[in-house]
Amino acid sequence: MQSSVTVGDPHIASELASLPHRYVGSGPYRIREQNETRVIVERFDDYWGQPARFDEIRWIPEPDPARRVDALLDGRAQVAFRIGLEGKERIAGNPDVIAHESETGLCIIFMLNSGKGACRDPRVRQALNYAVDVGRIIDEIKGGAAKPLNGYLTPHHFGFNPETPAYPYDPEKARSLLRAAGYGGGLKLVFDIPMAMPDEAPRLAGMMAEQLDQVGVSLEIVEHHDRAAYSETVREKRIHDGCCFDSSPASTYRVLREKLHSSLAGPWWQGYENTTVNALIEQAEATFDDTERQRIYREIYSIIRNDAPWIFLYRPTRFVGASSSMGEWRPSVGGLLRF
């Protein structure tokens, strides 16, 4: 049984450090120390379930993926989270470390302002999806380490419909839809992006701007450097025409209620309205049979793909570096770290 493990992570430690000072249900570990530079959890021997594997875990926030890999290679960390494709390549062939690869349930998307402006028109939203070359974006920005989305969920989600086609790259179709929506002479949009989470948002927005320009859409980018404040801007529905976001809930129920049901107007909902979708969501909530509920969810999935309230981009492949001293430890399905 290993006594200690240090985890280099860009976000988790700082998020844990902001928790209140009273805890309930800490499981096999309890928090011993927390501040802006680290969070330390220790084994809780009175836990009722399977005992903790480690005596102690130290979470160290490090925003630079290269430095996370450095810490792993020089032994200061036993796990380095989100090391990216470059990190994987750096540690390749080193017998003391290994890169674990997992297909995540994370969706990288642009949520469109369907409540006002040009993106109220579903033809405009569809055109934006046809105008973006997701395959090229994945190759150039993610180094091929991602899979295209065909809607608002991933195969890890209940109700994902594998038969729903992804939007193909079709600039002529995009131009035709824009002409039909009254924007044959051009369209200007303003998109908000964070500078982190997803970290590639600036490069992503730049490439999308080039591709959208080819179909007559001029894109202005507004950068937000404070990620917490950016989230509040999105939550308060103060975005411009669209915003880059990472949709992370593993629960289809949450995605639908928080982002797509117009009567609820949840925290991440951005003006999309479809009464049929609302009714189907409520029908699914009242359906106990899993097979029938999945059928309803898949019907919703196809409708929302066609309505295109988001620009559906990709689900990234996640790489986590680990010391060989971790033995059989692996990240869980979906990329979660469990110790």
Side-chain angles (χ1 to χ4, degrees):
M1 187 171 291
Q2 193 163 326
S3 61
S4 176
V5 57
T6 299
V7 183
D9 184 274
H11 310 299
I12 291 178
S14 58
E15 291 173 358
L16 285 174
S18 67
L19 290 172
H21 292 280
R22 294 173 181 259
Y23 312 97
V24 177
S26 57
Y29 297 98
R30 60 185 174 187
I31 296 179
R32 188 179 80 209
E33 179 183 340
Q34 63 171 23
N35 54 53
E36 293 182 355
T37 62
R38 66 182 180 181
V39 173
I40 301 177
V41 299
E42 63 183 8
R43 179 197 311 278
F44 178 53
D45 290 327
D46 292 332
Y47 177 58
W48 59 269
Q50 184 175 353
R53 177 180 176 183
F54 302 99
D55 292 335
E56 176 183 283
I57 303 174
R58 296 169 178 250
W59 298 90
I60 308 299
E62 173 51 68
D64 186 336
R67 291 179 181 175
R68 293 198 291 275
V69 175
D70 290 341
L72 180 67
L73 291 173
D74 64 24
R76 288 179 291 119
Q78 286 71 53
V79 176
F81 193 43
R82 296 182 182 176
I83 62 172
L85 186 62
E86 291 183 1
K88 176 193 176 185
E89 293 172 346
R90 278 185 63 192
I91 67 178
N94 188 322
D96 297 323
V97 291
I98 186 171
H100 298 291
E101 181 175 331
S102 60
E103 299 296 339
T104 69
L106 184 70
C107 295
I108 303 301
I109 46 94
F110 273 76
M111 296 191 292
L112 299 172
N113 189 340
S114 302
K116 63 181 180 180
C119 292
R120 289 188 65 182
D121 191 324
R123 293 170 295 186
V124 171
R125 304 194 300 261
Q126 291 166 356
L128 296 177
N129 275 278
Y130 281 116
V132 174
D133 188 345
V134 177
R136 183 180 164 207
I137 287 172
I138 289 173
D139 287 342
E140 296 193 16
I141 294 181
K142 301 300 292 182
K147 296 289 190 300
L149 293 172
N150 68 345
Y152 60 92
L153 300 175
T154 76
H156 291 300
H157 290 84
F158 183 75
F160 168 80
N161 193 342
E163 297 181 1
T164 298
Y167 276 91
Y169 176 53
D170 190 340
E172 186 50 47
K173 178 71 171 178
R175 295 186 193 99
S176 175
L177 284 164
L178 289 169
R179 286 194 297 270
Y183 298 104
L187 172 64
K188 180 178 180 180
L189 297 175
V190 181
F191 281 2
D192 298 282
I193 66 165
M195 301 305 287
M197 295 177 65
D199 297 347
E200 68 266 27
R203 289 186 64 202
L204 180 57
M207 182 172 282
M208 288 174 59
E210 293 176 4
Q211 294 176 353
L212 291 174
D213 185 65
Q214 300 302 307
V215 301
V217 177
S218 172
L219 190 61
E220 177 185 342
I221 305 299
V222 177
E223 297 178 348
H224 297 257
H225 293 265
D226 185 328
R227 186 56 172 80
Y230 177 74
S231 293
E232 287 305 306
T233 297
V234 177
R235 183 190 296 270
E236 293 169 5
K237 313 186 195 319
R238 293 187 285 110
I239 68 170
H240 291 87
D241 296 298
C243 66
C244 184
F245 220 66
D246 48 358
S247 180
S248 59
S251 164
T252 301
Y253 172 84
R254 279 189 57 196
V255 175
L256 290 170
R257 288 179 62 87
E258 295 178 4
K259 301 179 180 182
L260 296 163
H261 193 307
S262 63
S263 295
L264 297 175
W268 312 114
W269 174 79
Q270 300 299 328
Y272 169 67
E273 292 192 53
N274 186 314
T275 56
T276 299
V277 167
N278 291 350
L280 286 169
I281 292 172
E282 291 162 10
Q283 181 183 345
E285 291 173 356
T287 300
F288 291 93
D289 180 76
D290 285 346
T291 301
E292 177 60 14
R293 191 166 68 258
Q294 183 179 65
R295 185 197 65 76
I296 298 169
Y297 274 162
R298 288 184 170 181
E299 183 178 352
I300 296 170
Y301 195 74
S302 295
I303 295 172
I304 291 177
R305 180 272 185 196
N306 293 335
D307 283 349
W310 303 352
I311 299 177
F312 307 113
L313 295 176
Y314 53 82
R315 56 185 180 103
T317 302
R318 183 163 290 163
F319 300 99
V320 177
S323 166
S324 58
S325 65
M326 293 294 290
E328 297 300 316
W329 178 88
R330 298 288 187 276
S332 62
V333 173
L336 296 176
L337 299 185
R338 292 178 179 169
F339 298 95

